[in-house]
Amino acid sequence: MDEVTSTDLEVPVLIARKRDGGELTASELSALVGAYLDDRVDDAQMAALLMAGVIRGFTEDEAIALTDVLLASGDTVDLSMLAGPTVDKPSTGGVGDTTTLVVAPMLAAAGCQVAKLSGRGLGHTGGTLDKLEAIPGFRVDLSPAELRSQVEDIGLAVAAATAELVPADKRLYALRDVTASVPSTALIASSVMSKKLAGGAAHVLLDVKLGDGAFLAEPEAATALAELCVRIGTARGRRTGALVTDMSQPLSDAIGNALEVGAAIEVLAGRRGGRLRELSVALTAAALELTGRGREEAATLAEEVLATGAALERFRAFVTAQGGDASVTDDPWTVLPAAPVVEEWRPGAGHVTVTGCRRLGELAGRLGAGRRRAGDTLDLAVGLELLVRTSDEISGDTVAVRIHARSADDVAAVLEELPTVVAVGAEPVAARALVHGRVGLD
Amino acid sequence: MDEVTSTDLEVPVLIARKRDGGELTASELSALVGAYLDDRVDDAQMAALLMAGVIRGFTEDEAIALTDVLLASGDTVDLSMLAGPTVDKPSTGGVGDTTTLVVAPMLAAAGCQVAKLSGRGLGHTGGTLDKLEAIPGFRVDLSPAELRSQVEDIGLAVAAATAELVPADKRLYALRDVTASVPSTALIASSVMSKKLAGGAAHVLLDVKLGDGAFLAEPEAATALAELCVRIGTARGRRTGALVTDMSQPLSDAIGNALEVGAAIEVLAGRRGGRLRELSVALTAAALELTGRGREEAATLAEEVLATGAALERFRAFVTAQGGDASVTDDPWTVLPAAPVVEEWRPGAGHVTVTGCRRLGELAGRLGAGRRRAGDTLDLAVGLELLVRTSDEISGDTVAVRIHARSADDVAAVLEELPTVVAVGAEPVAARALVHGRVGLD
């Protein structure tokens, strides 16, 4: 392929080609994004190119090229000195999505190594870092050497990203956000996969969320995203697979930082079932398949590490190693912060439909569980418990939602909206399957 | 229609609607472009919106709304105090397009009033202002009062635009230019028509160019642009019509500022036929139809003002009124600046096809006749004469092109390229009709 140098870069000509449905070469995309990061292509030109790509589509080769150029914009983590199979389990994000806190210790208990670098994102609730900080004493400022050493010792570690991982992705995402150019399979896939490739794990199991509470509401779109991510990861030498999973309802019963940590611990301790446990087992088993286990063997092993308490033991070691109060694993609710006002909502008898998954997340965020702007301070104690699910038949006494709030006013504001997001009707309703599809797995 | 205020303007939501093929209301477009001009919507957001519109298309209502918001961004010219029918005859631009210098005096001779405000554009050759300045002494800095008074006296005047006419159009065009968002029927139509509405004429006859030397190469696209412009003008109370005309070959035999002025004078004096004369008659007749004349009557009158010398007389009065040397109308070539080097090109015997209309313009520009950047100084004397046309059969002696240049080196550079833009072959070829279509005329 001919090298495109920045001096002969004819930006409007390249934009016009994409506008008219054509394809850009890897060299052209690399030169364009490189020039953008150097401020020789301006925001308007990049916005026009991205919009043209959102509407016309990018090819698989273009998606791979975009991933490469994003990856090349920053540092990468080297995990090659670790002995065990290194695994990453990213999710495209949803409401009550606490699987990392359950799956990472399960994988560690099954002999894998999970080294997770996180940023502090925006969202309905905090990110994994924020949730863990609900545990008194927990610290996330590990050096790269501390991270690797802890993973070697106990199989898992979670640290705040200090190195500049994929800075180009941050800049492009900020641009896409204000220009309505987020919903592109190729742009989402290159963003997700560039970060996963930079993270250094040899095995990547993606959890692609589908439904009102996720990026993508249509099964075809979510499956296409999963397939493209798997092809990019595979093209770049990682064992990559994906589950497409339901986000038409919140995953965990808990939406809120401390509430989610407590729910995760109860799943690890064998005291809580439900969707969070079910998906954590499915994700762990799928990740173990990627490391070479047979499908049945992987499923058995995933159940085993819960049943034997090995996963909970890894979680306890993990909390201890990072300075947290390990007694949280014995009785989370006495250790984690609690909200001053707790109120229950009983919608009456009937058949439940969760109609507003995203809105439930937004309501938790409004209580103080999530950031609207980078730098916002979270209230780690507040949030919602959703105790009913689509297809449940409930009686007039059933508590559907428990609100954990800072004030009675906050409770009142949430109570007013709840009937619009959790419906109770006369007719039985069916729920969507939790795992919609498997991609890149046998 | 509900008013959209800038404070509740959700820009990404509006961009997303257009991205997905939806329509924006007049109020939304007005608020968006208004916020852009106030720097509350940034270049990237406007670029994304425009690209989405280029690919998805804008509706007729959107095009009218865009025209209105562009028009509202600046001053307008009031010609309502003029007694006669006020006429404007804009062209979408092409190579050797000198019709204004011929048609404006023809219309004045036929009782119309033509008040033209021009900017100095970029292009293969200069704009009308530059061409007129090839006449020694000619001044274009008329005040609005001088302009109106001259039009009342003699029926025509051309002045440099001093008022801010449609500043939003300039900003949007600059953005579209670098983001490959020029080719949109609605964006081109709103740009053209906002300037014509600001210009104040009650009758607007558009010359929409079609072919390699114009914006639009496809007949369907040119016709669609003409139809949309006519609908916008009509919706805003102007008698509007259009001719769709051929630009697969240069219009005038002359490409270059002084050369074009000379050619226009020779047409007015009855000493030159060809495409420039033919189209000037057609445009004048069509404009007269807009003012209420029957089609045959209009065609007869257009020929008459040439045959009687009335149009040439108006041109002379116009040059005199604006300080120019009126003897240019007697013998242009002794008054207009001449290039130091003139060379002729004889391609040999055969059938002519003009294959590179746009490139002929670019070659004239390279000789010094056009601006590459705003502020470039023009050489008003240089240019090309194209003495043959597609479908001509010529002998070995025929001069096909005469080059007027500053130096022998410049001549050599042009000579090298001429065989790629004017082909001479063994087979007879057909030329496209000069007038392809009529829109908005009976």
Side-chain angles (χ1 to χ4, degrees):
Chain A
M1 183 186 319
D2 287 343
E3 191 66 18
V4 177
T5 64
S6 59
T7 46
D8 57 26
L9 192 63
E10 288 199 273
V11 179
V13 173
L14 298 181
I15 301 172
R17 198 192 309 154
K18 179 50 67 185
R19 177 196 72 207
D20 297 338
E23 185 172 355
L24 303 182
T25 67
S27 172
E28 287 166 341
L29 278 169
S30 175
L32 263 176
V33 178
Y36 176 62
L37 296 175
D38 290 349
D39 295 320
R40 287 174 292 110
V41 163
D42 64 28
D43 279 345
Q45 292 176 313
M46 187 53 66
L49 177 75
L50 293 173
M51 178 56 80
V54 168
I55 297 175
R56 296 296 193 190
F58 289 104
T59 65
E60 182 178 330
D61 284 345
E62 287 178 318
I64 293 174
L66 277 169
T67 306
D68 287 340
V69 63
L70 293 176
L71 179 62
S73 73
D75 300 331
T76 56
V77 177
D78 183 5
L79 299 179
S80 60
M81 72 293 292
L82 293 176
T86 51
V87 180
D88 198 353
K89 182 224 54 68
S91 151
T92 58
V95 178
D97 184 12
T98 327
T99 52
T100 294
L101 297 186
V102 183
V103 173
M106 287 175 75
L107 286 171
C112 297
Q113 297 185 312
V114 182
K116 187 171 170 63
L117 284 176
S118 277
R120 292 182 198 272
L122 297 171
H124 319 307
T125 62
T128 300
L129 294 182
D130 301 297
K131 293 174 192 173
L132 286 168
E133 286 178 342
I135 302 171
F138 200 97
R139 68 183 191 88
V140 295
D141 57 339
L142 308 185
S143 70
E146 284 178 306
L147 179 86
R148 275 194 295 264
S149 147
Q150 181 180 320
V151 171
E152 275 189 289
D153 286 351
I154 63 169
L156 76 162
V158 176
T162 49
E164 272 273 86
L165 291 176
V166 201
D169 178 65
K170 289 190 191 70
R171 235 185 110 179
L172 277 188
Y173 189 82
L175 183 66
R176 287 164 59 205
D177 192 36
V178 297
T179 58
S181 299
V182 170
S184 150
T185 306
L187 294 177
I188 297 172
S190 61
S191 169
V192 168
M193 291 310 298
S194 62
K195 287 180 281 194
K196 293 309 119 191
L197 296 176
H203 307 81
V204 179
L205 190 274
L206 289 146
D207 181 6
V208 176
K209 301 293 193 186
L210 161 68
D212 160 61
F215 257 136
L216 300 166
E218 298 303 321
E220 298 73 23
T223 302
L225 175 61
E227 288 173 346
L228 183 55
C229 286
V230 168
R231 284 200 290 268
I232 294 171
T234 306
R236 289 300 171 257
R238 311 298 168 99
R239 284 285 293 134
T240 313
L243 297 186
V244 178
T245 72
D246 182 51
M247 190 40 76
S248 65
Q249 311 184 55
L251 182 64
S252 171
D253 304 342
I255 313 165
N257 298 282
L259 295 172
E260 293 186 36
V261 173
I265 290 170
E266 292 192 340
V267 168
L268 287 166
R271 296 197 298 271
R272 189 186 287 233
R275 293 162 59 90
L276 175 59
R277 183 186 193 285
E278 190 187 338
L279 185 59
S280 295
V281 169
L283 291 168
T284 302
L288 291 173
E289 286 182 60
L290 286 181
T291 69
R293 309 260 184 180
R295 185 161 177 184
E296 273 190 47
E297 180 195 2
T300 305
L301 184 51
E303 287 288 356
E304 231 172 60
V305 296
L306 285 180
T308 61
L312 180 64
E313 190 41 55
R314 288 297 167 134
F315 187 81
R316 186 195 312 272
F318 159 66
V319 172
T320 304
Q322 296 197 213
D325 181 349
S327 66
V328 75
T329 56
D330 302 319
D331 184 0
W333 306 117
T334 60
V335 175
L336 295 167
V341 184
V342 179
E343 183 132 342
E344 296 179 333
W345 179 62
R346 292 176 177 78
H351 296 271
V352 173
T353 309
V354 176
T355 53
C357 179
R358 177 187 300 264
R359 191 65 195 146
L360 275 164
E362 289 168 353
L363 290 175
R366 193 205 272 180
L367 286 170
R371 287 185 185 87
R372 292 179 154 219
R373 292 183 190 76
D376 280 358
T377 303
L378 301 181
D379 184 332
L380 299 175
V382 302
L384 300 171
E385 285 179 277
L386 178 68
L387 305 169
V388 298
R389 294 291 161 166
T390 297
S391 87
D392 287 358
E393 188 176 2
I394 61 172
S395 72
D397 289 339
T398 308
V399 176
V401 174
R402 197 175 288 128
I403 305 162
H404 299 251
R406 278 184 290 225
S407 71
D409 282 356
D410 285 359
V411 167
V414 170
L415 277 175
E416 197 176 323
E417 278 209 42
L418 282 178
T420 68
V421 290
V422 179
V424 179
E427 299 298 318
V429 286
R432 271 223 296 242
L434 182 54
V435 176
H436 172 83
R438 291 160 52 89
V439 177
L441 298 157
D442 297 331
Chain B
M1 184 184 321
D2 288 342
E3 190 69 16
V4 176
T5 64
S6 60
T7 46
D8 58 24
L9 191 64
E10 288 199 273
V11 179
V13 172
L14 298 180
I15 301 172
R17 198 192 309 153
K18 181 46 70 184
R19 177 195 72 206
D20 298 337
E23 186 171 355
L24 303 181
T25 67
S27 172
E28 287 166 341
L29 277 170
S30 175
L32 262 176
V33 178
Y36 176 63
L37 296 175
D38 289 349
D39 295 320
R40 287 176 291 107
V41 163
D42 64 27
D43 279 343
Q45 292 176 313
M46 187 51 68
L49 177 75
L50 293 173
M51 177 58 79
V54 167
I55 297 176
R56 297 296 194 193
F58 289 104
T59 65
E60 181 177 332
D61 284 346
E62 287 178 318
I64 292 173
L66 276 169
T67 306
D68 287 341
V69 62
L70 292 177
L71 179 61
S73 73
D75 300 332
T76 55
V77 178
D78 182 6
L79 299 179
S80 61
M81 71 294 293
L82 293 176
T86 51
V87 180
D88 199 353
K89 181 227 51 71
S91 151
T92 58
V95 178
D97 184 13
T98 328
T99 51
T100 294
L101 297 187
V102 183
V103 173
M106 288 175 74
L107 286 171
C112 298
Q113 295 183 313
V114 182
K116 184 170 174 62
L117 282 177
S118 275
R120 291 182 199 270
L122 296 171
H124 320 306
T125 62
T128 300
L129 294 183
D130 301 297
K131 293 174 191 172
L132 286 168
E133 286 179 340
I135 302 169
F138 199 98
R139 68 183 190 89
V140 295
D141 57 339
L142 307 184
S143 72
E146 285 178 304
L147 180 86
R148 276 193 295 265
S149 145
Q150 181 179 319
V151 170
E152 278 189 288
D153 285 350
I154 63 169
L156 76 162
V158 176
T162 50
E164 274 272 87
L165 290 175
V166 201
D169 178 65
K170 288 191 192 71
R171 239 186 105 179
L172 277 188
Y173 189 83
L175 183 66
R176 289 165 59 205
D177 191 36
V178 297
T179 58
S181 298
V182 170
S184 150
T185 305
L187 293 177
I188 297 172
S190 60
S191 169
V192 168
M193 291 310 298
S194 62
K195 287 179 283 193
K196 294 309 121 192
L197 296 176
H203 307 82
V204 179
L205 190 274
L206 289 146
D207 180 7
V208 177
K209 301 294 191 184
L210 161 67
D212 159 62
F215 257 137
L216 300 166
E218 299 303 321
E220 299 74 23
T223 303
L225 175 62
E227 288 173 347
L228 184 55
C229 286
V230 168
R231 285 200 291 267
I232 293 171
T234 305
R236 289 300 171 258
R238 312 299 168 97
R239 283 283 293 135
T240 312
L243 297 186
V244 178
T245 71
D246 182 52
M247 190 41 76
S248 64
Q249 310 184 55
L251 181 64
S252 170
D253 304 341
I255 313 164
N257 299 283
L259 294 172
E260 293 185 36
V261 173
I265 291 171
E266 292 193 340
V267 168
L268 287 167
R271 296 198 298 272
R272 189 185 286 231
R275 293 160 61 90
L276 175 60
R277 182 185 194 286
E278 190 186 339
L279 185 60
S280 296
V281 170
L283 290 168
T284 301
L288 291 172
E289 286 181 60
L290 287 180
T291 68
R293 308 261 184 178
R295 186 162 175 183
E296 272 188 50
E297 179 195 4
T300 304
L301 183 51
E303 287 288 356
E304 230 173 64
V305 294
L306 284 179
T308 61
L312 180 65
E313 190 43 55
R314 288 297 166 132
F315 188 81
R316 186 195 313 271
F318 158 66
V319 171
T320 304
Q322 296 198 215
D325 180 348
S327 67
V328 75
T329 56
D330 302 320
D331 183 1
W333 307 116
T334 60
V335 175
L336 294 168
V341 184
V342 179
E343 183 134 341
E344 297 180 333
W345 179 61
R346 292 174 176 80
H351 296 273
V352 173
T353 310
V354 176
T355 54
C357 179
R358 177 186 299 263
R359 191 65 194 147
L360 276 164
E362 289 168 353
L363 289 175
R366 193 205 271 179
L367 286 169
R371 287 186 186 85
R372 292 180 153 218
R373 294 181 188 77
D376 281 358
T377 303
L378 301 182
D379 185 330
L380 298 175
V382 301
L384 299 172
E385 285 179 275
L386 179 67
L387 305 170
V388 298
R389 293 291 162 167
T390 297
S391 86
D392 286 358
E393 186 176 2
I394 62 172
S395 72
D397 289 341
T398 308
V399 175
V401 175
R402 198 174 288 127
I403 305 162
H404 298 250
R406 278 184 288 226
S407 70
D409 281 355
D410 284 359
V411 167
V414 169
L415 276 175
E416 197 176 324
E417 279 209 43
L418 282 178
T420 68
V421 291
V422 179
V424 179
E427 299 298 318
V429 288
R432 274 222 296 242
L434 182 55
V435 177
H436 172 84
R438 290 161 53 89
V439 177
L441 298 157
D442 297 330

